[in-house]
Amino acid sequence: MRRMMTMIVCAMLALGLAGCAGKADSVSVSDTTETTNNSSQETTSANDVTDVIVDDASLEEGTNVLVVYFSATGTTKEVAEKIAAITNADIYEITPMQEYTSDDLNWHDASTRATREQNDSSARPEIANDTISLDGYDTVYIGYPIWWGEEPRIMDTFVESHAFDGMTVVPFCTSSSSGIGRSGKNLAENAGSGNWLDGKRFGAGASQEELAEWIDSMK
């Protein structure tokens, strides 16, 4: 009898231990599931952010202001981006088929590429990415550095390749000391269309406030 009772107690202990093991496995599975759910929630949140960004980008489509610029050293690029931000404009960078190197821009050497181009008013450097359409724009800002007192010839390539009928065109330039000179008038003549306003020269690092004041003055 005593032996039978001992066997019954052992059987009951074995059943109890099996139950505990089952609960431990259940907790382990539950923790894994929670981690997976958290990962899914994080992925959904990231997708939500992406959707918002895409929606914001779509709001920019259809704007009637465009900033076009050419920048060999980055100075004009910085000013162009600030103007685009102030006016909520689209922006387009003119990229030359053959990039300008520092040697090309050495104005002390009469044989350099840029010097030869600037001394030849008929030079028209090729643009690598001129696929933009100006349709739908009312105002176009056109920016460039001053080279040898004038606009780089690649700007003439651009304006001669596009029609500016019905648009207000605003030139702006960057230089360390030279003014805008005849560059804006040259571009207007070569374009042959559009209502071209007097442009303005800006130095490197022109502030947002300075640019905003200039833009407001034309309204």
Side-chain angles (χ1 to χ4, degrees):
M1 186 68 179
R2 182 178 298 175
R3 185 175 180 181
M4 184 177 294
M5 288 294 295
T6 301
M7 291 175 64
I8 291 172
V9 170
C10 290
M12 291 177 65
L13 287 172
L15 289 172
L17 290 172
C20 291
K23 289 181 181 179
D25 289 343
S26 178
V27 170
S28 177
V29 171
S30 177
D31 289 344
T32 303
T33 303
E34 185 177 350
T35 302
T36 303
N37 288 341
N38 286 342
S39 297
S40 298
Q41 290 171 359
E42 289 171 4
T43 302
T44 301
S45 299
N47 288 338
D48 289 343
V49 171
T50 302
D51 290 342
V52 170
I53 292 172
V54 170
D55 289 341
D56 285 347
S58 66
L59 293 175
E60 301 298 326
E61 294 177 3
T63 179
N64 62 352
V65 181
L66 174 67
V67 177
V68 175
Y69 74 94
F70 164 68
S71 184
T73 63
T75 302
T76 305
K77 174 184 173 70
E78 181 181 346
V79 174
E81 289 176 343
K82 289 178 181 178
I83 292 174
I86 294 168
T87 59
N88 193 32
D90 293 336
I91 191 165
Y92 168 76
E93 179 178 10
I94 297 172
T95 303
M97 184 66 74
Q98 180 183 352
E99 184 179 357
Y100 289 91
T101 67
S102 57
D103 288 340
D104 291 333
L105 302 177
N106 182 6
W107 63 275
H108 294 288
D109 186 348
S111 66
T112 61
R113 174 186 169 199
T115 303
R116 287 184 280 106
E117 288 177 356
Q118 293 306 109
N119 286 334
D120 180 5
S121 60
S122 65
R124 295 294 182 268
E126 190 174 356
I127 297 173
N129 62 331
D130 194 3
T131 58
I132 190 169
S133 171
L134 302 186
D135 292 345
Y137 292 107
D138 298 326
T139 303
V140 180
Y141 290 85
I142 293 187
Y144 47 90
I146 289 293
W147 285 0
W148 290 255
E150 295 186 323
E151 76 283 359
R153 300 301 176 211
I154 196 169
M155 299 306 300
D156 298 316
T157 305
F158 180 83
V159 299
E160 289 178 356
S161 302
H162 294 274
F164 297 88
D165 301 279
M167 302 177 196
T168 297
V169 188
V170 187
F172 65 94
C173 70
T174 59
S175 74
S176 57
S177 58
S178 300
I180 195 167
R182 277 194 50 84
S183 63
K185 291 181 171 57
N186 290 343
L187 290 173
E189 291 173 2
N190 290 330
S193 61
N195 175 31
W196 288 71
L197 303 186
D198 290 335
K200 185 170 181 178
R201 169 258 175 196
F202 296 96
S207 69
Q208 199 94 357
E209 292 74 17
E210 179 184 1
L211 293 167
E213 184 178 348
W214 170 61
I215 291 167
D216 286 340
S217 71
M218 293 183 288
K219 293 180 180 178

